[in-house]
Structure formats: structure tokens, C-alpha cells
Amino acid sequence: MTASTYVPPVLAWISGLAIAMPGAAAERPTLKDAFRDDFRVGTALATPQILGEEPESLALAAREFNAITPENCLKWALVHPEPDKYDFEAPDQYVAWGEANGMFIVGHTLVWHNQTPAWAFAGVDGKPLDRETALARLKSHIDTVVGRYRGRIKGWDVVNEAIDDEGKLRTGPVGSWPRRGEPWHAAIGDDYIEQAFRMAHAADPDAELYYNDFNEWYPAKIEAISKLITDLKVKGVHIDGLGLQGHWGVDYPTLEEIDHMLTEYGKLGVKLKITELDVSVFPTLDQPTGADITRRERGRAARNPYRDGLPDDKQQELAQRYADIFKLFVKHRDKIDRVTFWGIHDGQSWRNGWPVGRRVDYPLLFDRQRQPKPAFDAVIGVAR
Ligand code: G3I
């Protein structure tokens, strides 16, 4: 970006309230242009947006971003709800829109314990799911979904969230407590990740393939994810990238933790992607980190302090936090090739419902009216 040409919105301070008076959107720098020499900047599209129910959001996405990920519509439960039934309506529109708008198109996600229908994990004749049946089911799903978009979806989150916070491979049935299970691992064994990557590569040899996870700065996860990727590479398995989701908050992880993990993962010889970035305005004391949806906090819906708006000091805190985070992304730009936000605007974000249900959060760069927030200006201000 030519920073000198950008005049940020005028902030009029009236009675302690900052009122943003944005200039015409056309005069505003865009995220994709600001970081064009550093990394792609992407967003996740919700299914109603893909289906055309929010044309203003799609227009904003086309203007600001150069990569897209489907928030839900390519997950197993949505695209393959029954053994012999696929639903490609939303994915077809997603890919067509991405092509029409010059986007780098990502597929999310092929193998995950969550948002996968019960039938996929059911064994034959009431028995537990066996290895051969599980492998055949995975292959059929991957062949069909990846094959349909061969050459068009450029990168796939092949396996999602396979490692728990202690650095162990998840296993066991879905819903086991205190840790969520991983029925694919339980049925197939330790090589299920390798098998999934081999299947995806066979279905589209030109597609980039990624492993994707959350709480990626935990020391135990740095160790386990690094080992996983190193082992895959040693075995000759095709893997191009590591997806770091980035469901973070105003006070976690620390900047040192982010810097450290980018340095460590940067040694693996795969490209790093920040795949699901959002920054909750609620501090750690209020919520677990990460994105484990079994850890929903109950009975705390009353703790919704910003239901009528975000105070200026919190708005500025979020802006500074985003600036600090993007400074680290730019610092590690030789290893990071995409930064994707998990949604276009605050109103769409899953963080309004996790870990406290029905709470108003403000985790993205555009507000509920799709206007740029101070955090947007702060991020643009980081561009070199
Ligand atoms: O499809 C049904 C719809 O028929 C029904 O009317 C509606 C009523 O609530 O629910 C719809 O399903 C919801 C689905 O999103 C689609 O909107 C589910 O309840 C809801 O749980 C689901 O949440 C998604 C979540 O993954 C599920 O795990 C979020 O939108 C999505 O943002 C979130 O994304 C995940 C990434 O894929 C992986 N990393 C963590 C991230 C956040 O959890």
C-alpha cells in the first residue's frame, strides 16, 4: 500500500464517543491491496451469504478480500448428509462466485469429528465402525467432493483439529467427556491422517493440502503438530500447509506466544496460513481459549455487557490488539501466505454464541452495518 495516500476516517470525539465518519468506500484502501506484497487476506462465507441472501456482504467481500473459505457448506454434514445423498447447491455457488471474483478458493473441511453425521461413524450390523469400512467411506467422500471441484478449489483443509490440548491424538467416540472423541482415529488407527492426505492428493494432485487446528500456541500442541507434519513429510505424504485457526482474544495468546509459535512452525518447511482469525473482546477469565464447542459455558447469558454497543476504550483496545497481531504477521511474512478472517462482519460471527450463548461480541474488522471499525484502520496502518 502507498500509506502516504491513505487518510484515515475522521474521528470526532463528542462527549467521549468516537464517531467514525468514513469517506466514500471507494477511497478507502482495501485489505487485499494493503497486504498484496505480504500474504493473501481472506474471509469465510456463511451459507446464506453464498446463497445470495446478503448481497451487501458479498460486495464487501469482493472488495476487501482475495481468498475465501466456506464457513459451513462443505462440511460433511452439509454436503453429504446421507449415505447416498450429496447437496452441492451452496458449494457450487460458492466456487462459481469465487471464480467470478478472482478469489483463491479454499475447501473446508474433509475429515473432522464435528459436523459429521452419525451415519458416517456407524459400523455395519450394529458393530463399532471397522477400519476397512471407515477407509472406504472416507475415500468415497473425498473422491466425490474433492473430485467435483478438481482444479477449482485450490487448497483443502484435509484434517481438522486432530490433536487435543495436551498434544495427544484425539480418539474415541464423539461426545466422550472430558475430551471430544475422534471416531476416524478410533476406527482406522494412527495412520488415518496420512490416509486422508493420500486420498485427497489422489483426488486432485494439484490442490494444496493443509492440516488445520486451534490453540496452536500451546507448547504441547506446537510439539505434537510439528511432529505430525514432520512425520508426514518423512513418509512422503503430500502436505503443503499448516492452518492456524486464530480464534483469539484481546488478552490471549500473548504476543510472545504468537511470535514463538510462528517461529517454531516456520521451521517445518510448509506454508503457514492463519485460517479462522477472530479476536473476542472478552478476556480469558470469561472463557476458555480455542474453539472446542463442547466447552460451552452455561447459565452465563446474563454476562452480556456490550449488548448495546462497544465502549470506546474497548474499541481502541481491540484496534491496538489487531495492530500488534498484524505486525507479527508481517514480521513472519516469508512463512505466512494467507490470513483469513472467520467471517465478514461482527453480526455473522460464531463468537456471538460461544462460549457464552447469545452474547454480543465484536471480533472482526467490520461492524454489523458492514462499516470498517477502528480495528480496520489499525490493521491497514500496519501495512508497509
Ligand atoms: O444448519 C442448521 C440449520 O438447519 C438450523 O436451522 C440452525 C439452527 O441453529 O442450525 C444450523 O446449524 C448450525 C451451523 O453452524 C450452520 O449455521 C449449527 O447449529 C452450528 O453449531 C454451526 O456452527 C458452526 C460451527 O463451526 C460448528 O462446529 C459455525 O457456524 C462455524 O463458524 C464453526 O466453524 C468452526 C470451523 O469449522 C473449525 N474451527 C472452529 C470454528 C468455530 O467453531
Side-chain angles (χ1 to χ4, degrees), residues 49-67:
Q49 294 167 339
I50 292 166
L51 296 177
E53 293 171 25
E54 284 182 34
E56 306 89 347
S57 294
L58 279 189
L60 182 60
R63 176 188 152 78
E64 296 289 342
F65 302 103
N66 51 19

Side-chain angles (χ1 to χ4, degrees), residues 113 121 171-177 179-183 186:
H113 49 268
F121 297 142
T171 193
V174 169
S176 59
W177 190 257
R179 211 169 288 130
R180 229 181 137 73
E182 176 42 271

Side-chain angles (χ1 to χ4, degrees), residues 265-378:
Y265 291 134
K267 297 172 183 167
L268 296 174
V270 294
K271 280 291 178 187
L272 307 183
K273 290 116 203 318
I274 311 298
T275 50
E276 305 181 15
L277 183 62
D278 46 32
V279 178
S280 171
V281 298
F282 297 104
T284 329
L285 278 180
D286 274 13
Q287 57 190 359
T289 67
D292 182 344
I293 59 166
T294 64
R295 297 186 63 189
R296 184 181 293 275
E297 309 264 305
R298 296 189 190 282
R300 299 170 79 179
R303 298 179 64 174
N304 189 13
Y306 309 132
R307 63 171 76 78
D308 299 323
L310 193 63
D312 296 332
D313 59 333
K314 291 289 161 196
Q315 198 78 260
Q316 299 306 329
E317 186 184 352
L318 181 69
Q320 184 60 51
R321 173 74 171 151
Y322 257 116
D324 292 342
I325 288 171
F326 266 77
K327 279 180 202 157
L328 287 176
F329 292 163
V330 170
K331 174 182 171 187
H332 291 278
R333 61 195 280 272
D334 57 325
K335 292 158 241 154
I336 298 175
D337 73 350
R338 171 164 55 88
V339 175
T340 290
F341 291 87
W342 204 236
I344 301 169
H345 62 83
D346 286 342
Q348 159 194 1
S349 174
W350 76 293
R351 304 216 60 168
N352 295 301
W354 185 90
V356 174
R358 299 189 306 281
R359 178 167 69 172
V360 181
D361 205 341
Y362 301 81
L364 298 168
L365 300 188
F366 296 93
D367 68 18
R368 287 166 168 75
Q369 287 70 48
R370 302 175 190 82
Q371 296 303 306
K373 295 158 53 175
F376 171 90
D377 297 318

Side-chain angles (χ1 to χ4, degrees), residues 211-227:
Y211 173 73
N212 193 48
D213 213 329
F214 62 73
N215 278 347
E216 50 285 280
W217 74 92
Y218 281 27
K221 287 191 96 155
I222 293 179
E223 196 177 320
I225 291 172
S226 298
K227 180 169 182 337

Side-chain angles (χ1 to χ4, degrees), residues 124-203:
V124 181
D125 297 332
K127 295 187 199 125
L129 181 61
D130 64 87
R131 176 178 165 94
E132 296 317 314
T133 305
L135 284 172
R137 231 170 243 168
L138 269 186
K139 180 165 173 16
S140 170
H141 177 81
I142 290 173
D143 277 350
T144 305
V145 177
V146 175
R148 184 178 182 91
Y149 302 108
R150 182 175 170 142
R152 302 175 73 198
I153 288 186
K154 303 293 186 189
W156 278 97
D157 292 336
V158 178
V159 177
N160 197 40
E161 302 171 8
I163 295 171
D164 68 21
D165 287 349
E166 285 81 44
K168 300 197 176 61
L169 276 183
R170 293 170 196 269
T171 193
V174 169
S176 59
W177 190 257
R179 211 169 288 130
R180 229 181 137 73
E182 176 42 271
W184 295 121
H185 178 244
I188 297 170
D190 281 357
D191 66 334
Y192 88 99
I193 297 175
E194 169 188 343
Q195 298 286 352
F197 273 84
R198 290 192 190 281
M199 290 173 193
H201 186 53

Side-chain angles (χ1 to χ4, degrees), residues 71-72 75 108 112 114-115 160-161 245 276 342 350:
E71 186 176 357
N72 284 298
K75 292 171 180 172
H108 172 85
W112 192 21
N114 193 26
Q115 278 179 295
N160 197 40
E161 302 171 8
Q245 293 185 9
E276 305 181 15
W342 204 236
W350 76 293

